[in-house]
Amino acid sequence: MSIPEPAHFRQVLGQYPTGVVVVTALDAEGRPLGMTVGSFTSVSLDPPLVAFLPDQSSSSWRALRESGDRFCVNVLGAHQEDVCRAIAVRKTDKFDGIGWRTSPQGNPIIDGAVAYIDCTTEQIHGAGDHHIVVGRVQHLDLVGAEEPLLFFRGGYGSFAPLSLASAGTADLLEHLRLVDLARPQMEALAARFDTEVTAIALVRDELVLAAAAGRTRLAVAPTRVGQRLPFIPPLGSCFAAWGDDRVRNAWLQEGVQHVPALVRQRGYSVALGHGTGAQLEELSTRFHQGDAGVSREELLEAIASSVSDYNPASHDGPVELRFLSAPVFDADGRVAFTLTLWGPPGEVGPDQVALRVDALLAAAAAATAGIGGVPPRADALELAVS
Ligand SMILES: Cc1cc2nc3c(=O)[nH]c(=O)nc-3n(C[C@H](O)[C@H](O)[C@H](O)COP(=O)(O)O)c2cc1C
């Protein structure tokens, strides 16, 4: 291909959204240097490598390179568009009015950044009119709870999860951070049973599908990450089972009073029946896609009428196993989120159910450890329940 029109090239490539970072270092006189970069990416976990792509003609990149073989990547927050613009301009006193402190390696960490990644320069490759700078991560941490700044089609914005934004975004982000740490367990469990594993968080009064791994072979794929469902019976029984009184009382209704104790005693919740399950998932997907043909009342009714499919007194015979859910606990022994293992099509016998229960409980326990959580003390639960 001949060289494309630069404007066309930018327009097409601008369809791909990026985050925004400022790469920083100190010059020989100890003055802060910075460059606004959208081409930052993580590269490798072992060894820990990241990369960014500076224009070879950039004076900011030249100054950074000349300052030494270390730099710090600052992930900007959604409120830092002004910082992004100030550092992107071609001038020398870029840090006027911008607060910063030094990183473990002695590079600037900009006040208000979401995260920093302190690196040493590992490799610099030529790539057309740019360089590919590979950094070896020496230190990194989260330093702010803000959402990150995003750059898309020449404009700035921030991340909004799919569908209704009624639950607090900050609450959801904390859940997403924890769920992200449990990804390895979710992926392994999904791969073992060739199915889908979803993570569901309780954010205020809604259940939010926070992440999904693998693919279900069931007719209706419930994987719309960001999808929300009301926290009402029979949905979210694990949160009612291990939650405090406030959470449980918000959930409890006629006909399900026995469910929290049953779920706690089993260690998991279970849903049976592919037909009704599929109907409910289809209805909720349509509702969340804004289908005017599905009212909230209709959805609530469908949820309420599926109570008998959830947490039956026994599931010993061959059953249509829709899903099993188990809790992952945070550092305070509260349910951070639940892991849901979707069943196979058709019926399964008790041994197949038991196999999945064991694997799910092991994955949930490993995820609890993985996020630095602890299971709640049994006596604390008894107190909360009595
Ligand atoms: C959102 C955003 C992303 C950018 N990403 C890159 C990038 O990945 N690589 C790059 O060389 N310049 C990038 N730039 C441009 C530089 O930040 C800076 O404006 C340019 O290097 C100015 O030239 P100078 O370094 O000679 O002062 C970006 C600018 C903005 C506003």
Side-chain angles (χ1 to χ4, degrees):
M1 187 181 175
S2 57
I3 299 173
E5 255 304 297
H8 182 59
F9 189 83
R10 285 198 197 96
Q11 188 197 9
V12 174
L13 275 298
Q15 300 307 307
Y16 184 65
T18 70
V20 183
V21 303
V22 171
V23 179
T24 59
L26 292 182
D27 70 10
E29 279 79 46
R31 286 180 305 227
L33 300 169
M35 177 173 182
T36 301
V37 166
S39 58
F40 171 72
T41 183
S42 78
V43 173
S44 155
L45 176 66
D46 184 13
L49 301 175
V50 295
F52 69 98
L53 283 71
D55 191 323
Q56 293 196 15
S57 70
S58 157
S59 59
S60 313
W61 164 229
R62 190 170 350 105
L64 282 168
R65 192 176 181 176
E66 285 169 6
S67 74
D69 61 356
R70 58 187 56 186
F71 58 86
C72 183
V73 175
N74 289 254
V75 179
L76 293 188
H79 61 296
Q80 291 186 298
E81 200 180 314
D82 53 342
V83 175
C84 161
R85 290 185 195 280
I87 305 281
V89 294
R90 195 180 283 254
K91 59 174 187 166
T92 44
D93 50 355
K94 291 180 174 187
F95 279 76
D96 261 6
I98 297 176
W100 55 276
R101 61 186 188 283
T102 46
S103 70
Q105 282 200 137
N107 297 310
I109 297 178
I110 295 173
D111 289 353
V114 174
Y116 79 88
I117 303 131
D118 229 0
C119 305
T120 45
T121 308
E122 181 87 357
Q123 295 150 353
I124 300 178
H125 305 280
D129 53 15
H130 277 58
H131 281 134
I132 300 175
V133 182
V134 179
R136 181 180 280 257
V137 178
Q138 303 293 349
H139 306 272
L140 77 172
D141 217 341
L142 302 171
V143 282
E146 282 283 335
E147 292 170 67
L149 180 65
L150 301 184
F151 186 69
F152 176 49
R153 291 185 182 161
Y156 297 93
S158 62
F159 175 76
L162 287 173
S163 94
L164 316 169
S166 56
T169 324
D171 296 2
L172 179 58
L173 285 176
E174 173 57 10
H175 284 99
L176 292 179
R177 188 183 71 77
L178 292 178
V179 169
D180 209 35
L181 296 173
R183 275 233 151 249
Q185 285 85 28
M186 292 177 65
E187 300 283 355
L189 188 62
R192 175 168 170 200
F193 292 102
D194 186 19
T195 186
E196 181 169 48
V197 173
T198 46
I200 294 164
L202 177 62
V203 184
R204 310 225 174 138
D205 57 353
E206 289 183 308
L207 298 163
V208 182
L209 181 51
R215 263 195 97 73
T216 168
R217 287 177 290 126
L218 297 174
V220 175
T223 39
R224 273 184 57 87
V225 171
Q227 189 166 313
R228 295 156 191 266
L229 283 171
F231 177 52
I232 54 170
L235 307 180
S237 57
C238 285
F239 293 99
W242 283 276
D244 60 23
D245 285 348
R246 189 188 55 80
V247 171
R248 196 174 8 265
N249 291 337
W251 187 85
L252 276 179
Q253 276 177 16
E254 192 86 12
V256 294
Q257 277 95 342
H258 66 290
V259 170
L262 176 68
V263 168
R264 230 180 15 254
Q265 178 213 328
R266 283 180 175 157
Y268 61 91
S269 77
V270 55
L272 304 180
H274 291 319
T276 45
Q279 270 169 20
L280 181 59
E281 286 141 29
E282 196 205 322
L283 208 60
S284 78
T285 302
R286 280 173 51 204
F287 176 75
H288 287 286
Q289 281 169 347
D291 186 332
V294 184
S295 67
R296 188 173 166 83
E297 288 65 43
E298 201 180 335
L299 179 63
L300 293 179
E301 216 167 279
I303 293 170
S305 66
S306 63
V307 163
S308 61
D309 291 331
Y310 284 66
N311 301 307
S314 123
H315 52 77
D316 291 342
V319 289
E320 288 181 358
L321 180 66
R322 193 70 189 163
F323 60 73
L324 295 162
S325 293
V328 175
F329 297 103
D330 67 14
D332 299 321
R334 286 185 305 236
V335 183
F337 54 90
T338 58
L339 289 186
T340 295
L341 174 66
W342 290 79
E347 290 194 332
V348 280
D351 50 341
Q352 282 299 313
V353 175
L355 196 66
R356 285 170 170 78
V357 165
D358 289 349
L360 173 66
L361 293 180
T368 294
I371 68 168
V374 285
R377 288 186 13 224
D379 55 345
L381 272 174
E382 289 318 319
L383 271 177
V385 172
S386 58

